[in-house]
Amino acid sequence: PQALYDKPLPRAKSLVGLPLAVFNGQLRVNGERMRIDSWVGSQNHNWGSQHTDHYAYGQVAGFDNAPDSFLEIATARIRLGPLWTPWMTPLVLRHDGREYALNGLGRALRNRGRFGYFDWHFTAEDDAVRIVGRIHAPREFFVGLRYYNPPGGDKCCLNSKLAACELTLAERRGGNTQILTTAHRAAFEILSDDFTAHGVELRA
C-alpha cells in the first residue's frame, strides 16, 4: 500500500515503476549476440535498510492467455528481535481493466500462502473476489545468489524467471470465474538463511 512507503516498516520497499514494459536491443553472452525484439517484462526497483528476512516473491508480466494482465505477490515474514511475525501474503492483480489490490496489512495477514522448494500455493480474497494460485518450477530452473544484507551477513536468494503460474479468479457477485495461466513467464524468488538444503549451486 502506498502509505507504507513513508513508514519505517517494512524496512525493504518494492516498486514496479513500469508494469508490462517492452524491451528492445541486444545481449551479448559469452561472445554470442542475442537480439531482444519487443520482449515484455517489467521495470522494478527495490531498496531499504535491510532485506526482508524470509519470503517468496512472484510476478507475471502477461499470462499466456491474458497478455495484458499483471500479477505481483509475496508471502513473507520478518524478524522483530527474537520473534517472527506471522506470514503475510499481499497480492495485486491487474486484469481486464480492473485492479484487485489485496495488499493492505490486515488483508495480507488474512490471505494465505505456503511455499517450499520449489512450489508455492496462495489464496487472497475479500468480499468481492477470491484469487487462488500456484507458482512452481523445477530446481534446475533456479539460479542461486548470495545477497549481502546491509545490517551485516548474507541471505540466500533463489531466482527463476521461467516458472509456471496458474491463477483462478472468482468474483463473488455474478459468479464469474476465469483461469489465467502461463507455462514459463512467471518470476519466482525465494530468500532465506538456508544455503544448502535446496540443492541449488550459488553462482555469485
Side-chain angles (χ1 to χ4, degrees):
Q2 187 169 348
L4 291 184
Y5 283 100
D6 295 326
K7 303 295 184 183
L9 291 175
R11 294 187 178 93
K13 313 292 185 181
S14 175
L15 175 72
V16 182
L18 185 61
L20 300 176
V22 178
F23 296 89
N24 293 284
Q26 64 180 8
L27 294 174
R28 290 188 179 273
V29 181
N30 295 330
E32 293 188 24
R33 177 177 175 272
M34 178 182 298
R35 181 175 175 80
I36 308 301
D37 186 8
S38 298
W39 286 18
V40 176
S42 66
Q43 181 266 321
N44 308 270
H45 181 53
N46 300 327
W47 74 98
S49 59
Q50 72 177 65
H51 290 302
T52 300
D53 295 287
H54 191 190
Y55 68 72
Y57 170 80
Q59 187 183 96
V60 180
F63 291 82
D64 295 347
N65 61 340
D68 295 328
S69 297
F70 189 91
L71 170 72
E72 187 171 30
I73 181 172
T75 292
R77 60 179 180 160
I78 61 175
R79 190 190 297 271
L80 299 175
L83 303 176
W84 286 96
T85 67
W87 288 101
M88 295 168 278
T89 301
L91 177 151
V92 175
L93 173 67
R94 296 182 178 94
H95 172 66
D96 200 21
R98 296 187 60 182
E99 179 179 273
Y100 303 91
L102 306 175
N103 62 339
L105 181 59
R107 181 61 55 194
L109 286 165
R110 290 190 292 273
N111 294 340
R112 297 184 299 279
R114 54 185 174 85
F115 65 92
Y117 302 129
F118 297 95
D119 204 348
W120 179 14
H121 295 259
F122 51 87
T123 301
E125 57 187 322
D126 62 12
D127 292 340
V129 69
R130 175 180 169 88
I131 299 173
V132 179
R134 179 189 180 204
I135 297 177
H136 56 99
R139 186 188 314 272
E140 58 268 24
F141 282 15
F142 285 81
V143 64
L145 305 169
R146 188 180 297 272
Y147 270 18
Y148 170 72
N149 203 12
D154 294 320
K155 308 290 284 188
C156 181
C157 175
L158 307 178
N159 188 286
S160 175
K161 296 296 191 290
L162 299 171
C165 178
E166 301 90 36
L167 202 69
T168 300
L169 169 66
E171 295 182 352
R172 299 194 186 278
R173 297 191 184 105
N176 183 34
T177 298
Q178 300 179 65
I179 297 176
L180 311 181
T181 63
T182 181
H184 54 75
R185 294 179 63 176
F188 184 5
E189 180 173 283
I190 298 171
L191 194 83
S192 74
D193 294 317
D194 172 22
F195 284 83
T196 59
H198 46 75
V200 177
E201 180 183 355
L202 298 186
R203 298 289 184 175

